[in-house]
Amino acid sequence: MTESNRLRIAIQKSGRLSTESQQLLKSCGVKFSINEQRLIAHADNMPIDLLRVRDDDIPGLVMDGVVDMGIIGENVLEEEQIERQTLNKPADCLKLRQLDFGSCRLSLAVPTEFSYADASSLEGLRIATSYPNLLRRFMQQKGITYRDCMLKGSVEVAPRAGLADGICDLVSTGATLEANGLYETEVIYRSMACIIQSTQTQSPTKQALIDKILSRVNGVIRARESKYILLHAPTETLDQIVALLPGAENPTVLPLNDDTNRVAIHAVSTEDLFWDTMEQLTALGASSILVMPIEKMMG
Ligand code: AMP
């Protein structure tokens, strides 16, 4: 394999993380278009290649230094890390930051008729999972012995099919569990998407590009978590109004033309402004309240 001068980033080809991973990179100014038939997408404006692969291949590609960066669920990353540590394969990578999408939880679940007190209710029983390493770590910490039933998919049908007594699977809304006559008993791992870097990236030019991408990711996520708020406030309730704006400690206060009793407030708030706060602001005499999304943030 030849060392490429272009930064290689692995993202999920299709699935829960693929759209948001692409969107994040586009928001960071990486211009590319995806051809569904092709594994690689070359960025037009930066020396970056996107590798579109299965999500469970991403940690290994980064840990082996085949790609420089990856966007992956923490659950998949940690499962692969434990697997590789067991097999004495390279298992290191740098987690650059957690992202703001891909939230899910890995949970134990049992059939509705199963009487579950705590994880020890599963002592000696068979548990179906696609995450044998995370499950083993959890059960070892609790000192519980159990039997594995390793399934890559359709984990939730295992108890009804008589293959297992319970399952350990990813849950998002819980609808799949309910549809299969199961209930969630314990969350064993909470996960978000994260961005990782290979420990084998040597080139200073590539490192500078990674730092640039990371700084932009930080800016994009900060902007997504923030809102720009504009409103008119009576001077007499100004302090109370500012105190109500979440995370906006130093707002800009501007005079209004021909109105000495009111001022305009411009503020960046680190949280969304909820309807009940807007109603409290109105009760304090605030008017013309605008809450706007922020596209980019830096500095
Ligand atoms: P839900 O019915 O919304 O609880 O989703 C559960 C189903 O979606 C199960 O089949 C899970 O294996 C799958 N699932 C949930 N979250 C994820 C995820 N982050 N990545 C992959 N599969 C997931």
Side-chain angles (χ1 to χ4, degrees):
M1 193 189 79
T2 52
E3 174 67 20
S4 165
N5 292 327
R6 294 171 69 84
L7 188 77
R8 291 185 173 133
I9 308 179
I11 58 168
Q12 188 184 29
K13 185 174 193 303
S14 59
R16 294 195 181 227
L17 301 181
S18 62
T19 308
E20 279 167 299
S21 304
Q22 286 178 33
Q23 199 49 55
L24 178 66
L25 292 169
K26 286 189 171 163
S27 303
C28 290
V30 185
K31 290 205 172 109
F32 59 89
S33 48
I34 297 283
N35 176 341
E36 285 306 326
Q37 312 305 321
R38 301 194 62 175
L39 173 75
I40 297 190
H42 302 288
D44 306 329
N45 60 336
M46 294 187 200
I48 293 179
D49 291 338
L50 301 182
L51 254 87
R52 300 168 54 246
V53 291
R54 275 178 57 115
D55 65 341
D56 37 10
D57 287 335
I58 295 175
L61 289 170
V62 175
M63 290 166 188
D64 288 332
V66 178
V67 300
D68 303 288
M69 290 173 95
I71 296 178
I72 187 62
E74 290 170 321
N75 55 315
V76 179
L77 172 63
E78 213 148 316
E79 177 67 23
E80 180 68 19
Q81 213 148 25
I82 307 173
E83 174 82 16
R84 284 175 159 248
Q85 280 158 354
T86 320
L87 300 173
N88 265 329
K89 287 166 89 176
D92 287 338
C93 70
L94 306 170
K95 192 194 273 188
L96 298 178
R97 70 159 292 162
Q98 199 178 56
L99 300 172
D100 60 348
F101 59 89
S103 155
C104 64
R105 55 192 192 269
L106 184 64
S107 292
L108 291 170
V110 292
T112 32
E113 61 280 7
F114 189 111
S115 146
Y116 185 97
D118 54 36
S120 68
S121 307
L122 295 168
E123 179 73 45
L125 299 184
R126 195 175 289 282
I127 306 172
T129 190
S130 313
Y131 293 87
N133 293 300
L134 288 173
L135 174 62
R136 187 178 348 102
R137 186 173 71 183
F138 176 82
M139 294 300 248
Q140 272 173 357
Q141 280 163 359
K142 299 266 173 189
I144 300 162
T145 49
Y146 66 99
R147 289 174 296 155
D148 257 333
C149 169
M150 177 61 200
L151 289 174
K152 284 279 185 198
S154 307
V155 174
E156 60 281 349
V157 302
R160 238 194 345 210
L163 300 176
D165 302 290
I167 69 165
C168 172
D169 198 13
L170 292 176
V171 183
S172 192
T173 61
T176 306
L177 291 183
E178 204 182 320
N180 287 281
L182 301 167
Y183 73 100
E184 187 177 2
T185 55
E186 203 139 358
V187 177
I188 73 161
Y189 190 85
R190 287 190 190 276
S191 174
M192 297 291 287
C194 63
I195 186 157
I196 55 175
Q197 181 190 338
S198 168
T199 52
Q200 298 178 36
T201 303
Q202 305 275 329
S203 135
T205 339
K206 272 191 184 178
Q207 188 57 52
L209 189 51
I210 292 174
D211 294 345
K212 182 193 276 237
I213 297 288
L214 182 62
S215 151
R216 290 186 182 186
V217 167
N218 290 339
V220 169
I221 292 179
R222 259 181 72 210
R224 289 207 283 232
E225 286 170 348
S226 305
K227 294 281 179 284
Y228 196 73
I229 299 168
L230 298 154
L231 56 88
H232 291 172
T235 43
E236 62 200 18
T237 53
L238 179 60
D239 291 345
Q240 289 160 274
I241 284 179
V242 169
L244 272 179
L245 298 175
E249 282 77 24
N250 297 306
T252 308
V253 179
L254 300 164
L256 284 173
N257 236 2
D258 295 335
D259 189 345
T260 50
N261 298 321
R262 292 187 312 146
V263 287
I265 300 179
H266 290 207
V268 172
S269 168
T270 50
E271 291 165 43
D272 207 350
L273 197 63
F274 295 106
W275 281 110
D276 48 3
T277 312
M278 307 244 307
E279 282 150 10
Q280 285 172 281
L281 290 170
T282 318
L284 286 167
S287 58
S288 308
I289 308 172
L290 298 178
V291 181
M292 296 186 292
I294 298 172
E295 199 183 296
K296 292 187 180 71
M297 260 176 125
M298 203 170 229

